[in-house]
Amino acid sequence: MKNMLGKAANKGYAVGAFNILDYNSTKAVVLAAEQANAPVIIQTSAKTVIFWGTSAIISWIRQLAGPSSVPIALHLDHCKDLDLIKECIESGWTSVMIDASSKPFEENLSLSRQVVEMARPKDITVEAELGAIVGVEDDIHVKEQDAHLADSQQAIQFCREIKPDCFAPAIGTAHGVYKGEPKIAFDLLEEIAAKTGIPIALHGGTGLSDEVFSKCISLGCAKVNISTQLKYAFIDGFVAYHNANNKQYNPLKVIEAQFNQLKTGIVEKIELFGSAGKA
Ligand code: 13P
């Protein structure tokens, strides 16, 4: 993932990171990236890893991404559990995110440092977070009153000490569905990206406007996370097909409709982020 993000940051585009749910959604991400000829990040939440187990997920990835013509990274999204991070590193994930952002600053530094020390000798990319991103992602729930932006001085100190390969400062985006217009701290993003020189991950991608995406990418976001969009397509694609054909009871047709809805939305986002043709 580090190489992908380095190229993206240099060329001014972003790589889409899509949270998969099962084999069908993993296939949708891989085939969307192949259709767009784009590098892509397959992202797993900690809950998804626990639900299926690492060996099932790795077998889908080897089958789908192994022979693929496009670069594909496998990334563990928001993880607070160092044992799970270790298991993913040992199982074949190419990238991990330590999310110790709910801890006091010094503790976040210490936990993030431990993950860097675990990952770097194996050439595994590390993403780390600072600040508190509002909304629900996996089993991390941040209420509006508890959300806060990353502090720019702390962000600079954090990146100088930890040297993550990818940095996720809270800049006003939210996980889940936006209630009202998001207030993005573009100045903060610009300052952190410029002063740290580290590719920034934009969390809470679902529901942001095209203008917000392109501004964030131009200011240094080289990775854009999309999860809720896939959850909606996963369920809506399935339900819509069944509602339109409710006497059919043909599961493969339903799965195909779900796959098509997922893939169409992923291709659109890849094109929007400017990574199409960059494989
Ligand atoms: P959304 O669910 O808002 O797309 O956010 C995804 C995300 O940031 C995952 O870490």
Side-chain angles (χ1 to χ4, degrees), residues 49-151:
V49 177
I50 291 162
F51 187 89
W52 293 107
T54 49
S55 56
I57 295 176
I58 284 294
S59 73
W60 310 334
I61 301 291
R62 288 205 198 288
Q63 188 189 335
L64 294 163
S68 180
S69 54
V70 297
I72 298 173
L74 176 60
H75 178 68
L76 174 65
D77 199 15
H78 298 275
C79 191
K80 301 187 278 195
D81 176 357
L82 265 57
D83 289 336
L84 188 62
I85 291 178
K86 188 165 182 274
E87 188 185 338
C88 286
I89 289 175
E90 284 167 358
S91 304
W93 267 248
T94 57
S95 176
V96 291
M97 174 179 187
I98 166 70
D99 181 354
S101 60
S102 62
K103 307 279 186 205
F105 183 65
E106 289 301 328
E107 210 177 322
N108 187 354
L109 275 177
S110 157
L111 288 164
S112 301
R113 188 177 290 115
Q114 285 179 54
V115 172
V116 168
E117 283 166 4
M118 201 193 291
R120 200 132 291 157
K122 295 185 157 63
D123 206 20
I124 303 293
T125 302
V126 176
E127 176 179 340
E129 175 171 330
L130 187 68
I133 300 171
V134 72
V136 179
E137 181 55 50
D138 206 34
D139 58 352
I140 299 168
H141 299 241
V142 179
K143 295 200 187 94
E144 224 159 293
Q145 65 267 30
D146 298 329
H148 57 89
L149 300 181
D151 172 85

Side-chain angles (χ1 to χ4, degrees), residues 28 77 217 256 269:
D77 199 15
I217 294 169
E256 192 180 10
K269 284 292 180 292

Side-chain angles (χ1 to χ4, degrees), residues 17-19 43 45 75 77-78 97 127 129 133-134 136-138 173-178 201-208 223-231:
F18 300 96
N19 288 60
Q43 220 163 235
S45 73
H75 178 68
D77 199 15
H78 298 275
M97 174 179 187
E127 176 179 340
E129 175 171 330
I133 300 171
V134 72
V136 179
E137 181 55 50
D138 206 34
T173 57
H175 291 129
V177 175
Y178 284 94
L202 182 65
H203 282 249
T206 303
L208 293 178
K223 172 176 184 267
V224 180
N225 286 8
I226 303 284
S227 174
T228 302
Q229 176 186 318
L230 272 73
K231 292 181 191 169

Side-chain angles (χ1 to χ4, degrees), residues 238 241-242 245 247-256:
F238 201 102
Y241 184 88
H242 180 62
N245 305 276
K247 301 276 182 300
Q248 213 177 61
Y249 281 90
N250 184 338
L252 295 180
K253 287 274 185 205
V254 182
I255 290 170
E256 192 180 10

